[in-house]
Amino acid sequence: MKSRLNNPVLAKEVKLRFRSSKSFTGVLFYLLAMCIFVFGFIYTTTSLAGTAYFKPSESVILFTFLTFIQLGLVLFITPGLTAGTISGERERQTLPMLLTTSQSSFQIVTGKLLSSVLFLLLLIIAGLPVYSMVFLFGGISPVLFVKSLFFLFVTLLAIGSLGVLFSTLIRRTTVSMIVTYGSMLFFTAVIPFLFLIIIQVKQFGTMGMTPSKTYVGHFLASINPEIFFASLLAPELGMSVQEMTQVTFPLWIGYLLFYGVITIGSIWIATKRLRVNMKKHK
Amino acid sequence: MIEISKLTKKYGQFKALDELTLSLKEGTVFGFVGANGAGKSTTFLILATLLQPTSGSVTINGVDVTKKPEEIRKLIGYMPDFFGIYDQLKAHEYLDFYGASYGIPVEKRNQLITELLELVNLTDKRNAYVDSLSRGMKQRLCLARSLIHDPKVLILDEPASGLDPRARVEMRDILRSLKSLGKTILISSHILPELAEMCDEIGVIDNGKLIAHGSVSEIQAKLLGDKTITTRISGDSGSAVAFFEESPFVSAISHDIHEGVLSFTFKGDDEQQFHLLKEAVLSGIHIVSFTENSVDLEDVFMEITKGVELIEKQTK
């Protein structure tokens, strides 16, 4: 059991990552970006209101913005960290030796993925003191805070798995990175655009009557990180999505299922494709 | 130990390996020689479970490479021709990572690392970053890596390429030590003399085909045929010429009277050669030296591959 949990690739990757000053610089800039935003927001709000205190209703807005900033950073950083994990080993000519060891393909793939995920988790955890400043002013439920962190983790795991998959399938890191960023942009920019088109078409066709159910629209809304996180932080937004699509299925289940399938599917395919299938011998 | 039968690898219409058949016993040091692109690395990649063959079979210690690659990986230690190293790891950390990758317990790993660093003469570089090592040192460290799980078979693809003469000698000494440990070693090179000194058997590959296989002397004898022997005579060389002309194994005698040098072609084995020399001395010929002309192994290699090229041109 102990040997199953022991992952040499993960241990090596963590060691290499934290031996490089780039990782610490990354954490520094991440925290700086968050601090600038939080203190800038508090300063601007208090000076505009002409008061020396910060209202609980404003802390909700701050929390929402902070969550979206973290989501944005996770979506932006994850492809960069994962899309070169396997192809990078190939380019550095270290992959053949790694593949001739007794480690299973699953161990190698998950080791690579988890090392990137752990770094992202470190970013999120390092940002927690800044993030939790909103509790000083009240108005935020700890459950909502935990929920947002959990779904942030689900998102980074899914995008990270896609990065590792493309890194396994595509030989060159540059191409793998472009494809991973492209997928991320598809989920964050193309899907909401498609959702809006579908809703517009449905509403246009009903001529003011109650629109019919649109499962595709509901599906698109539940797999888009922005719409989902907005509905998580402001439940009334989730209700309006349900009104528009006429589907009452909870968005979070759709989100969890979709990104869960993406994660499992990507890891499975990457594991299958990492090594040459010698057994396919004709 | 290693059985390769009709191994073929095709890339479209191009045959990188063409029905290669080879059998090696346990403990053999086998040198695989051939020009660049002849098929050496392709064969090694298949043996190392990194490339799927188109047809044919390969077994190592009775285990089929295509059926049980996981088991093969435990049996082999592979060193590719071009390889990268994790520069930010220290030499002992590098070996420790691979030790862990083979599931070796921590306590055993530490002991193994010390032993292996000693074997490859890198004990003093234990805590040095891999990045700071010379190319020769990196090659040796990579060799130590391939030995970490005590494999029965070592597959070394051009282990001495790009090394300076001193590093080559060091590498050769290490391989000799490994040979004494009873490992079956497969080494490839495009330089035949480099392999001749340390290999029990040599296989010459050209255009994916094994065109010669045997010991170095067998290959030389097979391809170059008769030996040329040169003797230096003091005194009456005429009687020496008469003596050698009588021998049924001697032909094509050339004689330099002024220098007292006599050369001839000898068709016989080592025992017959010994008797010829003995009888010559006993018959009173003043032989100062009796030398079998050394054969340039590069010439042998060129001769072999040229022969194949000619046959191929003729068949086309």
Side-chain angles (χ1 to χ4, degrees):
Chain A
M1 185 66 190
K2 195 183 166 189
S3 65
R4 277 189 180 187
L5 291 172
N6 180 24
N7 190 320
V9 171
L10 176 62
K12 185 261 295 174
E13 287 292 315
V14 169
K15 191 180 276 179
L16 286 180
R17 196 176 290 281
F18 289 100
R19 208 161 256 183
S20 148
S21 59
K22 274 191 285 182
S23 303
F24 295 100
T25 318
V27 176
L28 177 74
F29 279 104
Y30 182 80
L31 292 178
L32 270 178
M34 281 192 79
C35 284
I36 288 169
F37 182 79
V38 170
F39 292 110
F41 185 86
I42 294 172
Y43 177 75
T44 317
T45 319
T46 47
S47 51
L48 277 177
T51 56
Y53 56 87
F54 196 66
K55 293 177 198 162
S57 59
E58 284 161 351
S59 76
V60 174
I61 301 169
L62 175 63
F63 177 71
T64 309
F65 273 113
L66 269 179
T67 306
F68 270 91
I69 282 181
Q70 269 204 322
L71 177 68
L73 285 173
V74 159
L75 289 172
F76 185 74
I77 296 170
T78 312
L81 283 176
T82 56
T85 48
I86 304 291
S87 54
E89 290 264 358
R90 201 179 278 124
E91 285 170 346
R92 287 193 302 272
Q93 296 177 321
T94 48
L95 191 63
M97 292 184 289
L98 195 59
L99 296 183
T100 48
T101 65
S102 303
Q103 285 190 93
S104 67
S105 301
F106 179 75
Q107 254 186 319
I108 297 171
V109 167
T110 50
K112 287 281 178 188
L113 174 65
L114 287 177
S115 69
S116 305
V117 167
L118 280 178
F119 180 68
L120 286 159
L121 279 180
L122 174 78
L123 283 185
I124 293 172
I125 290 166
L128 279 182
V130 186
Y131 204 29
S132 57
M133 273 191 73
V134 288
F135 287 110
L136 290 174
F137 309 106
I140 302 298
S141 133
V143 176
L144 186 64
F145 180 73
V146 172
K147 268 187 193 172
S148 68
L149 283 180
F150 172 72
F151 283 106
L152 212 56
F153 176 69
V154 169
T155 314
L156 78 87
L157 201 60
I159 302 286
S161 306
L162 267 181
V164 173
L165 171 66
F166 291 132
S167 180
T168 309
L169 299 179
I170 300 165
R171 298 189 75 84
R172 294 182 61 155
T173 302
T174 326
V175 183
S176 161
M177 234 171 240
I178 291 168
V179 176
T180 314
Y181 273 108
S183 313
M184 187 270 286
L185 283 173
F186 178 78
F187 290 128
T188 54
V190 179
I191 283 180
F193 180 68
L194 290 174
F195 170 72
L196 284 175
I197 289 176
I198 287 173
I199 295 300
Q200 289 292 320
V201 169
K202 279 278 172 189
Q203 284 181 345
F204 184 74
T206 54
M207 306 293 280
M209 308 268 285
T210 315
S212 60
K213 284 186 180 182
T214 164
Y215 290 105
V216 176
H218 187 83
F219 172 72
L220 292 177
S222 60
I223 65 167
N224 173 248
E226 297 101 288
I227 298 175
F228 170 72
F229 271 86
S231 71
L232 185 76
L233 300 169
E236 60 277 10
L237 205 88
M239 296 300 286
S240 62
V241 169
Q242 288 188 354
E243 271 173 32
M244 282 188 271
T245 59
Q246 292 297 308
V247 180
T248 53
F249 190 72
L251 286 178
W252 70 269
I253 296 181
Y255 193 84
L256 206 59
L257 278 176
F258 180 76
Y259 286 102
V261 168
I262 290 262
T263 306
I264 294 166
S266 299
I267 294 173
W268 186 74
I269 298 169
T271 302
K272 286 279 164 201
R273 296 293 301 273
L274 181 67
R275 281 189 167 108
V276 171
N277 186 2
M278 299 294 284
K279 288 170 188 168
K280 224 181 352 181
H281 180 59
K282 290 165 195 168
Chain B
M1 182 69 182
I2 299 175
E3 294 290 338
I4 301 175
S5 174
K6 293 187 173 180
L7 190 66
T8 303
K9 179 67 192 175
K10 282 185 188 174
Y11 295 101
Q13 290 300 308
F14 173 71
K15 276 187 181 176
L17 283 181
D18 191 0
E19 300 205 336
L20 186 112
T21 299
L22 182 67
S23 178
L24 297 174
K25 286 179 189 160
E26 191 169 355
T28 308
V29 180
F30 178 76
F32 216 17
V33 69
N36 292 331
K40 308 181 297 286
S41 294
T42 308
T43 311
F44 282 5
L45 284 172
I46 294 171
L47 285 167
T49 74
L50 292 169
L51 190 67
Q52 188 194 12
T54 308
S55 62
S57 70
V58 182
T59 59
I60 298 176
N61 210 23
V63 183
D64 195 315
V65 168
T66 56
K67 287 177 184 154
K68 290 181 179 170
E70 303 84 8
E71 280 188 37
I72 293 291
R73 284 177 205 126
K74 290 175 193 161
L75 289 171
I76 60 153
Y78 172 62
M79 182 172 159
D81 49 352
F82 297 104
F83 60 87
I85 284 183
Y86 304 110
D87 289 341
Q88 284 179 311
L89 287 181
K90 292 174 181 174
H92 75 94
E93 289 173 338
Y94 177 76
L95 293 177
D96 187 69
F97 164 62
Y98 282 99
S101 298
Y102 283 103
I104 302 165
V106 184
E107 313 79 54
K108 203 178 167 191
R109 266 185 345 239
N110 291 335
Q111 189 196 332
L112 269 172
I113 290 166
T114 309
E115 287 169 11
L116 286 171
L117 286 173
E118 203 177 309
L119 177 78
V120 297
N121 303 324
L122 286 175
T123 307
D124 56 329
K125 298 287 177 188
R126 186 186 175 92
N127 290 310
Y129 279 99
V130 174
D131 196 23
S132 68
L133 302 180
S134 69
R135 184 174 165 82
M137 287 175 184
K138 283 181 185 171
Q139 294 274 86
R140 270 145 53 199
L141 184 66
C142 190
L143 181 64
R145 175 207 60 79
S146 62
L147 287 163
I148 193 92
H149 57 300
D150 193 21
K152 288 190 171 179
V153 178
L154 265 181
I155 300 167
L156 312 173
D157 199 355
E158 307 257 1
S161 72
L163 297 184
D164 59 44
R166 176 177 284 274
R168 273 170 195 261
V169 171
E170 281 173 343
M171 180 63 83
R172 205 167 54 208
D173 291 344
I174 295 165
L175 292 174
R176 278 204 190 104
S177 325
L178 292 173
K179 184 182 172 180
S180 67
L181 292 173
K183 305 247 179 240
T184 306
I185 307 173
L186 281 87
I187 317 168
S188 76
S189 177
H190 57 277
I191 308 163
L192 184 57
E194 192 176 271
L195 294 178
E197 286 181 50
M198 52 185 150
C199 295
D200 304 319
E201 289 179 31
I202 278 186
V204 183
I205 188 169
D206 193 58
N207 289 329
K209 287 177 185 167
L210 190 72
I211 53 173
H213 176 209
S215 67
V216 178
S217 54
E218 276 172 0
I219 288 180
Q220 282 175 351
K222 189 176 162 186
L223 291 146
L224 293 183
D226 310 331
K227 297 172 196 170
T228 302
I229 290 170
T230 302
T231 61
R232 199 159 66 83
I233 313 288
S234 79
D236 180 20
S237 57
S239 60
V241 174
F243 171 82
F244 286 118
E245 273 177 344
E246 280 176 18
S247 169
F249 303 110
V250 173
S251 61
I253 299 173
S254 66
H255 182 204
D256 183 338
I257 299 168
H258 302 293
E259 297 287 329
V261 175
L262 199 142
S263 297
F264 54 84
T265 303
F266 181 77
K267 288 182 186 178
D269 57 23
D270 287 352
E271 192 61 24
Q272 287 156 339
Q273 192 177 320
F274 158 70
H275 283 292
L276 181 74
L277 173 63
K278 188 180 162 189
E279 282 165 25
V281 173
L282 288 174
S283 64
I285 299 169
H286 295 182
I287 295 178
V288 180
S289 71
F290 186 89
T291 318
E292 189 180 312
N293 289 2
S294 63
V295 180
D296 189 340
L297 289 170
E298 280 303 310
D299 292 342
V300 174
F301 176 63
M302 293 305 287
E303 195 65 32
I304 299 165
T305 46
K306 190 173 76 185
V308 172
E309 271 174 30
L310 273 172
I311 293 163
E312 281 181 353
K313 275 180 190 168
Q314 281 164 2
T315 49
K316 279 174 191 172

